[in-house]
Amino acid sequence: MKTTTGDQALIKRMNTAIVLEAILREAPLSRANISELTGLNKATVSSLVQDLIDNQLVRETGIGASSGGRKPVMLEFVATAGYAVGIDLGVNYLRGVLTDLLGTVVAERTLPLIGVQPEEVFGILRPFIQGLIDAAPGSAFGIVGIGVGVPGLVDRQGTVLYAPNMDWRDVPLRDALNRTFGIPVMIDNEANVGAIGEMKYGIGRGVSNLVYVSVGIGIGTGLILHKELYKGASGFSGEMGHLSIEANGKPCRCGNQGCWELYASEQALLERAAEAGYTGGLDELLAAAEAGDEAVRGMFAEIGRALGVGISNIVNVFNPNAVLIGNRMSRARVWLEDAVRETVERRALNFHLRNVHLLYAELGERSAVMGAAETAIAAFFVRLRSA
Ligand SMILES: [Zn+2]
């Protein structure tokens, strides 16, 4: 008897998830539309929809167009049934958002980070996250999860194995946050969550095979293959910032030399600029380029050519539909894009170039934080399906 009940409960959960996904994708829908879309009979759909309405995940909204008989009541997903926290933990900043279940930003905060030792960062991160949680309106599911993007290698247990620019090794970030807040926590590399953010909410929507190049202090890459994030055998991949582009180039802290990020990152730009007496950071350089400073425009073009060299290799290896430049250097698009495109067109193999698009982050510096929130939302829907 117990088995039968268990099986029935399982079938009901699966069918509920199917109905919910139909509404998420295609709303507004009537009960009859859902029955047609899913192949479930109308009585089953009506009962499952009632459960979803009772759980405040779905609501009735107005009357749809009739195809003959009585006009149907339409259904839509209640995006405010729960909220997610997204965090972009940078080397020298914290950015956080609170979003509803469709990724609409309800609250957003940023904070400079001075220290980088794990204990110092936890001490700032905990109240920062709590502030976002406190900003959430009351809802059926409350805070469904916290997603965090970090500039380093993360294993499947959410431990930051190595974050070179913060000098972190083996920091169990997911466990620490999970203990504090008692809600599910997802940790991933910032380039991976940046790729997810652009795929879900930005210029990467609908692109099947996408390489997201996060150009900040270092360079990270997130790989979307067939619309899924590619994580590699151990949960980490995409350390393309350490592609060698100069066989006898500068030494890198990774142990190799001539790595791409030494020539094409924000850090590379700032070092080059400092030699010429510009010490005000990226904002100063953008303003100078805007004001017509040819020397600064030349520096951006130089970085653009170096970016193009690495992107040519990526295009040749992965044959993606698009390569997307994101993170801080996407702000310099207007000063980079000619140099990037000319270099890629000159260097990448002709066949590979035919369908590849060179894109720039639509979410700008928010790609990672939105992707981090999305990982928490996606995990919530997976739990709903298997709860
Ligand atoms: Zn390196």
Side-chain angles (χ1 to χ4, degrees):
M1 288 299 275
K2 246 190 163 170
T3 323
T4 314
T5 313
D7 286 350
Q8 282 168 352
L10 177 66
I11 289 167
K12 186 175 176 191
R13 279 200 306 272
M14 287 168 61
N15 285 342
T16 305
I18 289 168
V19 169
L20 183 61
E21 286 195 68
I23 296 171
L24 267 172
R25 288 217 186 95
E26 317 264 351
L29 287 175
S30 67
R31 289 169 175 80
N33 296 149
I34 296 170
S35 176
E36 284 157 25
L37 271 173
T38 62
L40 297 167
N41 73 50
K42 285 181 185 172
T44 303
V45 167
S46 285
S47 147
L48 296 173
V49 164
Q50 194 53 52
D51 286 352
L52 289 168
I53 291 174
D54 292 344
N55 282 312
Q56 300 179 42
L57 278 168
V58 165
R59 69 179 156 224
E60 294 182 334
T61 166
I63 308 291
S66 168
S67 54
R70 195 157 57 95
K71 288 187 176 171
V73 174
M74 305 305 276
L75 300 159
E76 67 176 13
F77 178 67
V78 182
T80 52
Y83 293 87
V85 172
I87 300 290
D88 173 10
L89 170 56
V91 175
N92 52 10
Y93 68 90
L94 270 179
R95 183 184 295 273
V97 291
L98 177 77
T99 76
D100 69 16
L101 296 179
L102 288 179
T104 305
V105 174
V106 176
E108 177 165 15
R109 282 176 202 180
T110 54
L111 204 65
L113 262 188
I114 313 297
V116 294
Q117 288 312 302
E119 276 315 312
E120 292 172 294
V121 172
F122 284 165
I124 297 167
L125 189 55
R126 284 192 188 103
F128 186 78
I129 291 175
Q130 189 61 52
L132 289 163
I133 290 174
D134 293 343
S139 65
F141 290 89
I143 304 292
V144 302
I146 300 167
V148 186
V150 296
L153 281 182
V154 181
D155 71 8
R156 290 184 193 280
Q157 280 68 50
T159 295
V160 182
L161 298 178
Y162 181 44
N165 292 315
M166 300 176 85
D167 203 23
W168 282 17
R169 280 173 200 277
D170 299 315
V171 177
L173 187 59
R174 184 167 82 188
D175 284 353
L177 294 179
N178 191 263
R179 259 199 313 277
T180 304
F181 296 104
I183 40 185
V185 177
M186 314 290 293
I187 313 279
D188 208 334
N189 175 268
E190 62 87 19
N192 283 346
V193 294
I196 289 171
E198 287 293 331
M199 179 174 66
K200 180 79 184 176
Y201 303 113
I203 193 83
R205 277 180 298 240
V207 180
S208 296
N209 302 292
L210 170 75
V211 181
Y212 174 85
V213 183
S214 167
V215 190
I217 295 295
I219 291 182
T221 46
L223 213 56
I224 303 284
L225 297 177
H226 306 299
K227 299 199 174 180
E228 298 275 343
L229 182 69
Y230 177 74
K231 303 263 291 177
S234 307
F236 36 89
S237 66
E239 285 298 302
M240 286 186 264
H242 298 278
L243 281 173
S244 285
I245 66 165
E246 290 278 356
N248 299 306
K250 304 181 221 180
C252 181
R253 34 182 176 59
C254 76
N256 197 350
Q257 59 186 122
C259 294
W260 187 25
E261 72 173 27
L262 300 177
Y263 302 89
S265 61
E266 181 184 355
Q267 185 69 31
L269 173 72
L270 297 182
E271 283 169 11
R272 175 81 186 69
E275 289 168 13
Y278 298 87
T279 54
L282 185 58
D283 289 323
E284 182 199 6
L285 295 172
L286 287 170
E290 186 67 42
D293 186 327
E294 287 300 328
V296 171
R297 288 185 182 181
M299 291 174 207
F300 278 115
E302 202 177 305
I303 295 291
R305 284 190 291 275
L307 275 171
V309 172
I311 290 171
S312 305
N313 287 322
I314 290 173
V315 166
N316 286 348
V317 171
F318 291 102
N319 182 214
N321 304 101
V323 177
L324 203 166
I325 294 175
N327 204 347
R328 286 176 53 84
M329 287 293 276
S330 67
R331 294 170 63 196
R333 170 185 186 160
V334 56
W335 312 115
L336 295 172
E337 64 184 342
D338 288 347
V340 172
R341 197 188 54 250
E342 283 160 16
T343 307
V344 173
E345 281 173 357
R346 204 168 54 245
R347 287 178 172 257
L349 296 171
N350 220 344
F351 285 108
H352 291 64
L353 269 179
R354 284 187 187 164
N355 295 309
V356 75
H357 298 277
L358 295 174
L359 306 175
Y360 291 78
E362 185 178 316
L363 306 176
E365 294 181 62
R366 281 164 119 203
S367 315
V369 80
M370 290 304 297
E374 171 57 24
T375 60
I377 295 168
F380 167 68
F381 286 123
V382 168
R383 289 198 304 281
L384 268 188
R385 241 166 271 153
S386 55

